[in-house]
Amino acid sequence: PMSPALRKAAAFAARGVCHRARSTLAIAQPTAGTHPHLVGPGEVTPGVTRAEYTQRRAVLAATLPVGSVAIFPSAPRAYISHDVLHTYAQSPDLHYLCGFLEPNCLLACSKPWVGSAGALDGDATWHLFVEPTDPAQALWDGPRAGVAGARQHILSDGQVHPIRTAPRVLRDMVDAAVAGAAPSASVGGPLGANRSLACLLFDSAVNPTITKSLSPLLEASAQKLQVMRASPFVERLRLRKSASEISLMRHAAQAAAEAFVVTMEESAAAAARGDQLEGLLAARFEFETKRRGCGRLAYPCVVASGANAVFLHYMHNNARLTPGDLVLMDAGGSYFGYSADITRTWPLSGSFTPAQRDIYEAVLGVNEAVIRAVRADGATSLQSLHQLSIRLMHEALVSLGILKPAELQRVSRYYPHAIGHYLGLDVHDTPNASQSQPLVPRMVLTVEPGLYFPTDDDSIPAWCRGIGVRIEDDVLVDEQGCAVVLTSGAPKSVAAVEDAVRAGL
């Protein structure tokens, strides 16, 4: 069943279909004027205000080196075939800093020198480069913001330019940064060793097309100033979620958890029919998340039944659902850019066999113990949680008679991945952030232990071969430094899982 909050959100979204039919879109993304059912007054994107985006940019600018130019390109378009596009998802850094969701754009920040010696930080200026409006293009794809729309809705406190002017405008910004550097500045020293060293911050791998268009600038800059990556500066901010981000992530997690309940209920009857494929469960999950307001999946669904579950990212989803098998499903929805990431494993018959239950309870025990260990105490980190999970998994495998006490190193053969990752605008969020840094309030991470026993591994007991189990939850570190499980609505105990599956029979 859909919760009252999600039911209300879905109703608003449904009413928006009629609203859009009688409204003229000013830009290519929802605004408070065109989509009041999604975007509130003062918001740039649903749930996030203009003031918050402005604050994010100000905080980032304060951390950038003086005399620097930082460039944040949009994500590239991805094609299924010749002229058929995948659903577009914006670069997380650009999304985080301004909320502009169109492709072929870039955001730049110039933090100039002040004073002849370049000793004081100047005021940063922000520039957004966008595709101009085009009536011929709008006939096919609908309107885009253009310079005027982006200035009105996205970056009213900065400068907005046509994207074709980016090489010239950015070159002027870089030249100003180089000219403002002290005569003693030289390339090659470590950042911070010489405050007079100008620098360009840019991630060339984000969008190859934009990188190619800027290649003369980048090649010339490499001779004049320090070139370094921009993403690590933004990811330090993205690690800690604001109140609005936490609210969006709660919604994404609740929508995905409820979708799991419905999918589990349908699975047993589908398996009993004998002709249904794993893809049916993926389709049901996607429908149920979108019904609850998610715009898209956070990533392609993994629906791995039977021995397919021993492959970590199995995505063929084309095997028949068979009563008696386990099914491992890893899936999540994206709610206005923010991801949920859940894995559950359940018996398609509605009851675990003794062997399935033994493996499941081993993984569940690690999942619950690690979640209890999540805290902001100055010492706990994703890395320390992973080490804890290795020790606990070893104890469980020894208890089951699968490993010997001296075989700690063999745990990674059957539990080959990390205990979790950061979560946010990306599923594997802030990939440059260290997993050894202590957890702090407002971080969100996953906890996802698993065991995967190949069918052809003669070194383990026959009873566990071909069984794969993973259990994954999304966990918020709250302001008190304690763990809050955002995905608790998805059944996880043996009894709750069996009850959910049997409810569909």
Side-chain angles (χ1 to χ4, degrees):
M2 192 183 296
S3 71
L6 293 186
R7 191 178 299 114
K8 181 179 179 181
F12 278 139
R15 287 203 293 273
V17 174
C18 297
H19 179 86
R20 286 194 296 275
R22 61 176 183 268
S23 299
T24 300
L25 287 176
I27 65 175
Q29 67 189 72
T31 67
T34 61
H35 290 65
H37 53 288
L38 298 178
V39 184
E43 294 178 350
V44 174
T45 54
V48 184
T49 64
R50 183 186 305 273
E52 179 166 339
Y53 281 114
T54 300
Q55 177 66 14
R56 291 177 184 178
R57 293 193 294 272
V59 172
L60 175 66
T63 70
L64 296 178
V66 68
S68 66
V69 176
I71 302 173
F72 305 95
S74 61
R77 294 182 177 96
Y79 287 83
I80 299 173
S81 60
H82 167 61
D83 57 357
V84 180
L85 287 161
H86 282 285
T87 301
Y88 185 73
Q90 187 56 279
S91 161
D93 286 347
L94 194 150
H95 184 157
Y96 178 83
L97 291 170
C98 70
F100 192 51
L101 305 181
E102 292 186 21
N104 199 27
C105 66
L106 63 86
L107 180 69
C109 178
S110 174
K111 186 172 181 178
W113 308 99
V114 172
S116 58
L120 300 176
D121 290 357
D123 292 330
T125 58
W126 288 88
H127 303 256
L128 181 61
F129 300 84
V130 304
E131 288 268 26
T133 55
D134 180 353
Q137 167 271 334
L139 177 65
W140 293 90
D141 302 326
R144 61 169 70 116
V147 171
R151 183 179 297 119
Q152 176 185 353
H153 295 289
I154 307 297
L155 198 73
S156 58
D157 59 335
Q159 299 180 40
V160 182
H161 316 265
I163 187 67
R164 66 177 179 273
T165 67
R168 174 181 58 80
V169 175
L170 291 172
R171 184 180 64 246
D172 291 345
M173 293 162 61
V174 168
D175 288 346
V178 172
S184 62
S186 61
V187 175
L191 184 66
N194 187 340
R195 279 184 58 85
S196 298
L197 182 63
C199 62
L200 175 68
L201 293 85
F202 178 66
D203 292 271
S204 59
V206 171
N207 189 320
T209 300
I210 289 179
T211 297
K212 183 177 180 180
S213 72
L214 299 179
S215 58
L217 170 67
L218 298 172
E219 292 168 4
S221 297
Q223 307 302 316
K224 299 184 292 186
L225 75 176
Q226 181 98 351
V227 179
M228 53 193 302
R229 298 188 62 196
S231 284
F233 288 86
V234 189
E235 290 185 8
R236 291 203 257 311
L237 308 184
R238 285 172 48 201
L239 265 177
R240 300 188 70 177
K241 307 303 188 277
S242 67
S244 62
E245 290 180 293
I246 291 170
S247 178
L248 291 166
M249 294 192 73
R250 284 184 183 276
H251 189 115
Q254 185 177 355
E258 292 184 9
F260 259 97
V261 173
V262 178
T263 304
M264 293 166 82
E265 288 178 355
E266 180 165 333
S267 65
R273 288 199 293 271
D275 60 352
Q276 299 299 302
L277 307 185
E278 296 158 331
L280 173 69
L281 304 187
R284 170 56 68 184
F285 179 87
E286 182 172 2
F287 171 77
E288 294 297 337
T289 54
K290 290 183 174 179
R291 186 183 176 200
R292 290 160 172 79
C294 293
R296 59 179 174 85
L297 292 173
Y299 52 93
C301 293
V302 172
V303 185
S305 63
N308 293 327
V310 306
F311 306 112
L312 273 64
H313 284 170
Y314 167 89
M315 292 183 185
H316 300 300
N317 298 349
N318 57 10
R320 281 185 174 174
L321 300 171
T322 303
D325 280 351
L326 290 178
V327 61
L328 183 159
M329 185 165 183
D330 187 339
S334 175
Y335 186 68
F336 299 113
Y338 287 87
S339 300
D341 186 1
I342 305 176
T343 306
R344 291 294 186 263
T345 308
W346 67 89
L348 288 168
S349 64
S351 299
F352 288 97
T353 66
Q356 292 168 349
R357 181 170 182 150
D358 283 346
I359 301 302
Y360 186 88
E361 289 185 328
V363 175
L364 179 61
V366 176
N367 169 277
E368 293 176 335
V370 172
I371 289 173
R372 288 194 298 270
V374 171
R375 61 179 63 90
D377 58 3
T380 302
S381 65
L382 266 174
Q383 186 178 72
S384 71
L385 292 173
H386 179 65
Q387 294 305 315
L388 171 63
S389 73
I390 291 289
R391 295 193 300 271
L392 294 172
M393 197 68 82
H394 177 245
E395 292 173 5
L397 291 171
V398 170
S399 177
L400 290 171
I402 297 172
L403 293 184
K404 296 180 173 62
E407 294 182 314
L408 179 63
Q409 297 303 316
R410 288 191 64 202
V411 171
S412 62
R413 173 71 180 87
Y414 308 109
Y415 171 35
H417 55 77
I419 187 61
H421 51 80
Y422 303 117
L423 189 66
L425 282 169
D426 253 349
V427 179
H428 291 173
D429 204 43
T430 59
N432 298 294
S434 171
Q435 297 211 343
S436 63
Q437 64 180 304
L439 300 179
V440 296
R442 305 202 311 274
M443 282 183 172
V444 181
L445 59 145
T446 66
V447 174
E448 49 179 306
L451 285 172
Y452 317 89
F453 299 105
T455 56
D456 58 353
D457 189 341
D458 294 334
S459 69
I460 56 177
W463 65 266
C464 66
R465 296 174 200 163
I467 295 178
V469 173
R470 183 165 64 250
I471 303 172
E472 177 180 18
D473 285 297
D474 303 344
V475 181
L476 165 70
V477 183
D478 69 12
E479 291 290 358
Q480 289 70 47
C482 301
V484 177
V485 180
L486 302 180
T487 48
S488 59
K492 188 168 68 172
S493 71
V494 168
V497 165
E498 291 182 337
D499 287 347
V501 178
R502 291 170 186 164
L505 291 174

